[in-house]
Amino acid sequence: MIDKYRRTGYTKSMKTAISLPDTVFRDAERFARHAKKSRSKLYADALSEYLARHSPDEITESLNRVAAKINGKDLQFGKQAARKLVAREVW
């Protein structure tokens, strides 16, 4: 007996349609070929990265991981870099 509720197709992911400007589509196609990724994989990776970068909780967790790694280490480089940035800023 064939399971009529079994998904069909090659993936168990949600399928969706989006509209992109032609230039973005062409750039994405070129990048996908260069990276040897499917278009779906490229778009899924890009959206995942975008969401991670723009989610306040994800950003805080990332900063906390970095802080935990450098906690107690010499921060002289960071202090010098911050001073240079502030010195260049127009107040």
Side-chain angles (χ1 to χ4, degrees), residues 52-76:
R53 288 177 181 255
H54 291 84
S55 168
D57 292 339
E58 291 291 328
I59 293 169
T60 300
E61 288 176 19
S62 294
L63 290 173
N64 287 342
R65 284 193 298 272
V66 170
K69 286 182 182 179
I70 63 172
N71 191 19
K73 294 184 181 177
D74 181 19
L75 302 178
Q76 192 60 34

Short mmCIF file of all heavy atoms in Angstrom, two decimals, residues 52-76:
data_model
loop_
_atom_site.label_atom_id
_atom_site.label_comp_id
_atom_site.label_asym_id
_atom_site.label_seq_id
_atom_site.Cartn_x
_atom_site.Cartn_y
_atom_site.Cartn_z
N ALA A 52 20.46 35.30 11.65
CA ALA A 52 21.39 35.22 12.78
C ALA A 52 22.02 36.58 13.06
O ALA A 52 22.19 36.98 14.21
CB ALA A 52 22.47 34.18 12.51
N ARG A 53 22.35 37.31 12.00
CA ARG A 53 22.99 38.62 12.17
C ARG A 53 22.04 39.69 12.66
O ARG A 53 22.46 40.68 13.24
CB ARG A 53 23.61 39.08 10.86
CG ARG A 53 24.84 38.32 10.47
CD ARG A 53 25.32 38.81 9.12
NE ARG A 53 26.48 38.07 8.70
CZ ARG A 53 27.72 38.58 8.72
NH1 ARG A 53 27.92 39.80 9.13
NH2 ARG A 53 28.73 37.86 8.32
N HIS A 54 20.76 39.52 12.42
CA HIS A 54 19.80 40.56 12.75
C HIS A 54 18.90 40.22 13.94
O HIS A 54 18.03 41.01 14.30
CB HIS A 54 18.94 40.91 11.53
CG HIS A 54 19.75 41.61 10.49
ND1 HIS A 54 20.51 40.92 9.56
CD2 HIS A 54 19.95 42.92 10.23
CE1 HIS A 54 21.13 41.79 8.79
NE2 HIS A 54 20.80 43.00 9.17
N SER A 55 19.12 39.09 14.53
CA SER A 55 18.36 38.70 15.71
C SER A 55 19.08 39.20 16.95
O SER A 55 20.22 38.80 17.20
CB SER A 55 18.22 37.18 15.78
OG SER A 55 17.73 36.78 17.04
N PRO A 56 18.48 40.08 17.74
CA PRO A 56 19.17 40.62 18.92
C PRO A 56 19.69 39.52 19.85
O PRO A 56 20.79 39.63 20.38
CB PRO A 56 18.10 41.46 19.61
CG PRO A 56 17.14 41.82 18.53
CD PRO A 56 17.15 40.65 17.57
N ASP A 57 18.92 38.47 20.04
CA ASP A 57 19.38 37.39 20.92
C ASP A 57 20.60 36.69 20.36
O ASP A 57 21.54 36.37 21.10
CB ASP A 57 18.27 36.36 21.14
CG ASP A 57 17.12 36.93 21.97
OD1 ASP A 57 17.33 37.92 22.68
OD2 ASP A 57 16.01 36.37 21.90
N GLU A 58 20.63 36.46 19.05
CA GLU A 58 21.78 35.81 18.42
C GLU A 58 23.01 36.70 18.52
O GLU A 58 24.12 36.22 18.76
CB GLU A 58 21.48 35.48 16.96
CG GLU A 58 20.45 34.40 16.76
CD GLU A 58 20.94 33.03 17.19
OE1 GLU A 58 22.16 32.77 17.08
OE2 GLU A 58 20.12 32.25 17.66
N ILE A 59 22.83 37.98 18.31
CA ILE A 59 23.96 38.92 18.39
C ILE A 59 24.52 38.93 19.80
O ILE A 59 25.74 38.85 20.00
CB ILE A 59 23.52 40.33 17.95
CG1 ILE A 59 23.18 40.33 16.46
CG2 ILE A 59 24.60 41.36 18.27
CD1 ILE A 59 22.49 41.58 15.97
N THR A 60 23.64 39.00 20.79
CA THR A 60 24.09 39.00 22.18
C THR A 60 24.82 37.71 22.51
O THR A 60 25.89 37.74 23.14
CB THR A 60 22.89 39.19 23.13
OG1 THR A 60 22.26 40.42 22.83
CG2 THR A 60 23.32 39.17 24.58
N GLU A 61 24.30 36.58 22.09
CA GLU A 61 24.96 35.30 22.35
C GLU A 61 26.33 35.24 21.69
O GLU A 61 27.29 34.75 22.29
CB GLU A 61 24.08 34.15 21.87
CG GLU A 61 22.86 33.92 22.76
CD GLU A 61 21.95 32.83 22.23
OE1 GLU A 61 22.40 32.01 21.41
OE2 GLU A 61 20.78 32.81 22.64
N SER A 62 26.43 35.75 20.47
CA SER A 62 27.72 35.77 19.78
C SER A 62 28.73 36.63 20.51
O SER A 62 29.88 36.24 20.70
CB SER A 62 27.57 36.27 18.34
OG SER A 62 26.80 35.38 17.59
N LEU A 63 28.30 37.81 20.93
CA LEU A 63 29.19 38.70 21.68
C LEU A 63 29.59 38.07 23.01
O LEU A 63 30.74 38.20 23.44
CB LEU A 63 28.53 40.06 21.90
CG LEU A 63 28.36 40.92 20.65
CD1 LEU A 63 27.53 42.16 20.97
CD2 LEU A 63 29.71 41.30 20.08
N ASN A 64 28.67 37.40 23.66
CA ASN A 64 28.99 36.73 24.92
C ASN A 64 30.02 35.62 24.72
O ASN A 64 30.91 35.44 25.56
CB ASN A 64 27.73 36.17 25.57
CG ASN A 64 26.84 37.26 26.16
OD1 ASN A 64 27.28 38.37 26.39
ND2 ASN A 64 25.58 36.93 26.38
N ARG A 65 29.93 34.88 23.61
CA ARG A 65 30.92 33.83 23.32
C ARG A 65 32.30 34.44 23.12
O ARG A 65 33.30 33.92 23.62
CB ARG A 65 30.49 33.01 22.11
CG ARG A 65 29.38 32.02 22.40
CD ARG A 65 29.20 31.03 21.25
NE ARG A 65 28.83 31.67 20.01
CZ ARG A 65 27.57 31.93 19.64
NH1 ARG A 65 26.57 31.60 20.42
NH2 ARG A 65 27.33 32.50 18.49
N VAL A 66 32.35 35.54 22.37
CA VAL A 66 33.63 36.21 22.14
C VAL A 66 34.19 36.73 23.47
O VAL A 66 35.38 36.54 23.76
CB VAL A 66 33.48 37.37 21.13
CG1 VAL A 66 34.73 38.22 21.08
CG2 VAL A 66 33.14 36.81 19.74
N ALA A 67 33.35 37.36 24.26
CA ALA A 67 33.80 37.90 25.55
C ALA A 67 34.32 36.79 26.45
O ALA A 67 35.33 36.97 27.14
CB ALA A 67 32.66 38.66 26.22
N ALA A 68 33.66 35.64 26.43
CA ALA A 68 34.10 34.52 27.27
C ALA A 68 35.47 34.02 26.83
O ALA A 68 36.30 33.63 27.65
CB ALA A 68 33.08 33.39 27.21
N LYS A 69 35.73 34.05 25.53
CA LYS A 69 37.02 33.58 25.01
C LYS A 69 38.15 34.53 25.39
O LYS A 69 39.26 34.09 25.64
CB LYS A 69 36.98 33.43 23.49
CG LYS A 69 36.20 32.23 23.03
CD LYS A 69 36.25 32.12 21.52
CE LYS A 69 35.43 30.95 21.04
NZ LYS A 69 35.45 30.84 19.58
N ILE A 70 37.89 35.82 25.42
CA ILE A 70 38.97 36.78 25.68
C ILE A 70 39.01 37.25 27.13
O ILE A 70 39.89 38.00 27.51
CB ILE A 70 38.88 38.01 24.75
CG1 ILE A 70 37.60 38.80 25.00
CG2 ILE A 70 39.02 37.61 23.31
CD1 ILE A 70 37.55 40.11 24.26
N ASN A 71 38.08 36.80 27.93
CA ASN A 71 38.01 37.21 29.33
C ASN A 71 39.34 36.89 30.03
O ASN A 71 39.81 35.78 30.02
CB ASN A 71 36.86 36.53 30.04
CG ASN A 71 36.60 37.12 31.40
OD1 ASN A 71 37.02 38.24 31.69
ND2 ASN A 71 35.90 36.39 32.24
N GLY A 72 39.94 37.93 30.61
CA GLY A 72 41.18 37.73 31.35
C GLY A 72 42.42 37.81 30.50
O GLY A 72 43.53 37.82 31.01
N LYS A 73 42.28 37.89 29.18
CA LYS A 73 43.44 37.99 28.31
C LYS A 73 43.83 39.46 28.15
O LYS A 73 43.04 40.36 28.43
CB LYS A 73 43.16 37.37 26.94
CG LYS A 73 42.96 35.87 27.00
CD LYS A 73 42.78 35.30 25.63
CE LYS A 73 42.56 33.80 25.70
NZ LYS A 73 42.32 33.21 24.41
N ASP A 74 45.02 39.68 27.69
CA ASP A 74 45.51 41.05 27.47
C ASP A 74 44.67 41.71 26.38
O ASP A 74 44.57 41.20 25.26
CB ASP A 74 46.98 41.00 27.06
CG ASP A 74 47.55 42.39 26.84
OD1 ASP A 74 46.96 43.37 27.32
OD2 ASP A 74 48.60 42.49 26.17
N LEU A 75 44.07 42.80 26.71
CA LEU A 75 43.21 43.51 25.77
C LEU A 75 43.89 44.76 25.21
O LEU A 75 43.23 45.66 24.72
CB LEU A 75 41.90 43.89 26.46
CG LEU A 75 41.09 42.72 27.03
CD1 LEU A 75 39.84 43.24 27.71
CD2 LEU A 75 40.73 41.74 25.94
N GLN A 76 45.21 44.83 25.29
CA GLN A 76 45.94 46.01 24.84
C GLN A 76 45.66 46.33 23.37
O GLN A 76 45.46 47.47 23.00
CB GLN A 76 47.44 45.83 25.07
CG GLN A 76 48.24 47.09 24.90
CD GLN A 76 47.81 48.19 25.86
OE1 GLN A 76 47.41 47.94 26.99
NE2 GLN A 76 47.85 49.43 25.40
#
